[in-house]
């Protein structure tokens, strides 16, 4: 029974890694944006104080917009940057999960 649970855990972790890869590659393949991305793009293009005033009333935490404001002066394509920065929390969660799983279950890469 333990071996089945371990196999299922490995399969789910592998799926999560594949989703992460897809999330990183999808901004490269097209410029289609949804309403939420358009809202974020518009908000980040506002002056900082005005944007933070609007962000306080949004469903996303203001820290998310603050992080986006910090990276927008890099001069990269803003839309691509916004999409990639949205993947960073997921990637960090995957990294923490990998270390935790490896420690708890002694998985070897």
């Amino acid at each position: 029974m333990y071996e089945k649970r371990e196999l299922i855990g490995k399969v789910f972790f592998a799926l999560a890694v594949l989703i992460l890869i897809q999330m990183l590659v999808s901004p490269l393949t097209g410029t289609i944006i949804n309403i939420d991305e358009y809202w974020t793009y518009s908000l980040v293009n506002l002056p900082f104080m005005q944007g933070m005033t609007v962000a306080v009333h949004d469903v996303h935490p203001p820290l998310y917009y603050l992080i986006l404001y910090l990276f927008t002066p890099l001069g990269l394509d803003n839309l691509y940057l916004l999409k990639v920065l949205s993947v960073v929390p997921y990637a960090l969660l995957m990294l923490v999960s990998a270390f935790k799983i490896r420690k708890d279950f002694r998985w070897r890469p």
Side-chain angles (χ1 to χ4, degrees):
M1 181 67 176
Y2 180 76
E3 290 83 22
K4 280 187 178 181
R5 287 179 56 197
E6 187 172 336
L7 178 64
I8 290 171
K10 287 180 180 181
V11 168
F12 278 130
F13 190 76
L15 281 171
V17 169
L18 289 175
I19 290 170
L20 175 64
I21 291 169
Q22 190 275 332
M23 289 171 71
L24 289 170
V25 170
S26 69
L28 295 172
T29 60
T31 57
I32 297 174
I33 61 173
N34 61 32
I35 287 243
D36 193 45
E37 290 170 337
Y38 183 73
W39 165 262
T40 302
Y41 184 73
S42 299
L43 190 137
V44 172
N45 286 320
L46 292 172
F48 178 75
M49 286 309 292
Q50 185 180 2
M52 284 294 110
T53 303
V54 173
V56 168
H57 302 290
D58 190 30
V59 296
H60 295 99
L63 179 62
Y64 171 70
Y65 296 113
L66 183 63
I67 292 168
L68 295 177
Y69 268 112
L70 291 174
F71 280 92
T72 51
L74 292 177
L76 302 172
D77 178 31
N78 282 345
L79 184 58
Y80 178 73
L81 182 68
L82 295 177
K83 287 183 177 212
V84 170
L85 284 175
S86 296
V87 177
V88 169
Y90 184 81
L92 290 175
L93 182 64
M94 289 294 303
L95 187 66
V96 169
S97 297
F99 282 112
K100 177 74 172 152
I101 290 169
R102 188 171 165 206
K103 178 184 169 199
D104 289 351
F105 296 102
R106 296 177 188 90
W107 284 1
R108 304 269 181 224

